[in-house]
Amino acid sequence: MLLQFSSAQGPEECCIAVKKALAHFLDEAKKHDVTIDLLESVPSTHGLKSALISLEGAQADILARAWSGTLQWQSQSPIRPQHKRKNWFLSVTHFTPNETPEDNEIKFEFIKSQGPGGQHVNKTCSAVRATHVATGISVKVQSERSQHANKKLAKQLIFWHLNEYQMQQAHALDKQLHNAHNQIERGNAIKIFSGKEFKRIV
């Protein structure tokens, strides 16, 4: 399944909260033996505007549902000390892909990974570039060491972008996916964190 952390249209403090919440979530996922893969992230100056992750494991669904909703961070702004606002919000939304595209709908290219990693990165073609033939949507995944694992994540990422594309084409207002990135229900947080150390209090 997929989980999206988003600052929506919030200020930079909300982006900082996204980064802190994601780190907190990763620690909790490790304790529950849930495997996490970061599929996409949009950085901001001090944090993350959004992050899309994939979850696998026996406790993945329970963990995802426990985190889904609005999160609140109660803290003085670390970048604007004189700012009066002390409540910052972010949203966490989970999606379960019912049907990912079939392999014959996607063109796969296996290429060499780029970035740090030494000889392994340079000598193996484990990275995957996947293109949805009908729409031209293309993604690249190289987070895993094996072609098979990267191919699986690439299909999930294609699913994600295909859903967004179809909604844009139909001009549909799907609350579960489309609005999750832009709307946060303030004042009804399911979890509340406090202070610069981002300590959970509720």
Side-chain angles (χ1 to χ4, degrees), residues 73-146:
W73 178 32
Q74 297 177 343
S75 176
Q76 183 179 28
S77 171
I79 55 176
R80 297 185 289 174
Q82 304 305 317
H83 200 284
K84 293 182 179 180
R85 180 176 170 184
K86 294 184 179 180
N87 289 292
W88 316 99
F89 297 89
L90 64 139
S91 68
V92 181
T93 311
H94 97 282
F95 315 99
T96 303
N98 294 322
E99 295 182 13
T100 54
E102 298 295 334
D103 283 6
N104 59 9
E105 300 177 57
I106 303 174
K107 177 184 177 183
F108 293 99
E109 298 176 78
F110 299 99
I111 54 181
K112 289 183 179 180
S113 297
Q114 297 177 347
Q119 292 182 347
H120 172 79
V121 169
N122 296 327
K123 291 186 177 181
T124 63
C125 293
S126 59
V128 176
R129 179 180 287 115
T131 304
H132 188 252
V133 177
T135 61
I137 294 171
S138 181
V139 301
K140 180 182 177 182
V141 177
Q142 62 178 39
S143 58
E144 300 297 321
R145 286 182 173 266
S146 72

Side-chain angles (χ1 to χ4, degrees), residues 2-22:
L2 306 177
L3 203 63
Q4 182 195 51
F5 288 70
S6 175
S7 65
Q9 303 300 316
E12 186 63 26
E13 288 85 354
C14 293
C15 298
I16 295 173
V18 168
K19 186 176 181 179
K20 289 179 177 290
L22 180 60

